[in-house]
Every structure is written in structure tokens, then in C-alpha cells.
Amino acid sequence: VQLQASGGGLVQPGGSLRLSCAASGFTLIYYNIGWFRQAPGKEREGVSCISTSGGSTYYADSVKGRFTISRDNAKNTVYLQMNSLKSEDTAVYYCATDLSRCRLTDFGPSGQGTQVTVSS
């Protein structure tokens, strides 16, 4: 079971990126899926979560109003659209199954993350 995040890169403050989370070896449709990030010297931070149907979404206060999580179960993929990016969003982003009923506190195993760097 692996969830692979992709789509990161270098972007200027105020810019946008869309991250993708693809699964291999299992079907995402049965799981709440979350995103979390890890910045150097900082604790892991839960960023967002989406329910199995996509009908419920959850965000950390730090990204609310700027990030949008969505899923395409037909493509077995979850997305994180990130707008109005700030330097403090710089981190490695990971996706994983949610283990905390979308309280953004506990996640399952994740694969390799994707680096997001917000800098001018």
C-alpha cells in the first residue's frame, strides 16, 4: 500500500500549485484521505482531509480559504489545490489515509512526499 504525492515545485509568494495523490495497490474510495506537511525544524502539521465521498472536507486554520482538497474516485486520485501561497507553506507535503476521522491528527503510512518551496 503506497500513496504517492506529486506536483510540488518552486513558486513565488501568491502563486498556486496543485498537488496530486495517487494510490498503488489499493483503492482510495474506501478511505478518508489527508494531507500533512513537514517543514525543517517544525512539527508535522495536518493540512487537510476529505471524506470517502468527497462530501466533507476539513482544513487547518493556517490554510483555510487558500487550499482546496478534492478527489476523483474514478481516477483513484486526491488533489490539493494551493492558492495564495506564502513562504510559511514551504514544506514537504505528504498524503496518507486518515486515521483520526479527519481531525488532522493521525495518518497512515505515506510514500515519498513532494517538496513545495515558496520563495521570491
Side-chain angles (χ1 to χ4, degrees), residues 13-33:
S16 299
L17 282 173
R18 188 176 82 155
L19 305 185
S20 297
C21 175
S24 62
F26 77 109
T27 303
L28 287 178
I29 191 172
Y30 302 114
Y31 301 90
N32 295 343
I33 300 297

Side-chain angles (χ1 to χ4, degrees), residues 38-62:
Q38 182 80 58
K42 296 185 178 180
E43 292 188 358
R44 186 179 78 177
E45 179 186 16
V47 172
S48 185
C49 182
I50 188 166
S51 63
T52 53
S53 67
S56 297
T57 57
Y58 306 83
Y59 300 94
D61 288 343
S62 58

Side-chain angles (χ1 to χ4, degrees), residues 6-12 16-19 82 85 89-93 113-119:
S6 63
L10 173 64
V11 63
Q12 292 186 343
S16 299
L17 282 173
R18 188 176 82 155
L19 305 185
M82 307 187 297
L85 283 161
D89 295 318
T90 295
V92 179
Y93 284 71
T114 187
Q115 175 72 48
V116 172
T117 303
V118 185
S119 175

Side-chain angles (χ1 to χ4, degrees), residues 3-6 19-23 28 33-35 76-79 95-96:
L3 289 175
Q4 186 67 43
S6 63
L19 305 185
S20 297
C21 175
L28 287 178
I33 300 297
W35 289 90
N76 211 31
T77 303
V78 172
Y79 303 98
C95 59

Side-chain angles (χ1 to χ4, degrees), residues 67-87:
F67 289 13
T68 303
I69 191 171
S70 62
R71 67 191 301 159
D72 185 336
N73 286 334
K75 294 183 178 180
N76 211 31
T77 303
V78 172
Y79 303 98
L80 185 68
Q81 177 67 42
M82 307 187 297
N83 298 329
S84 302
L85 283 161
K86 305 175 181 179
S87 58

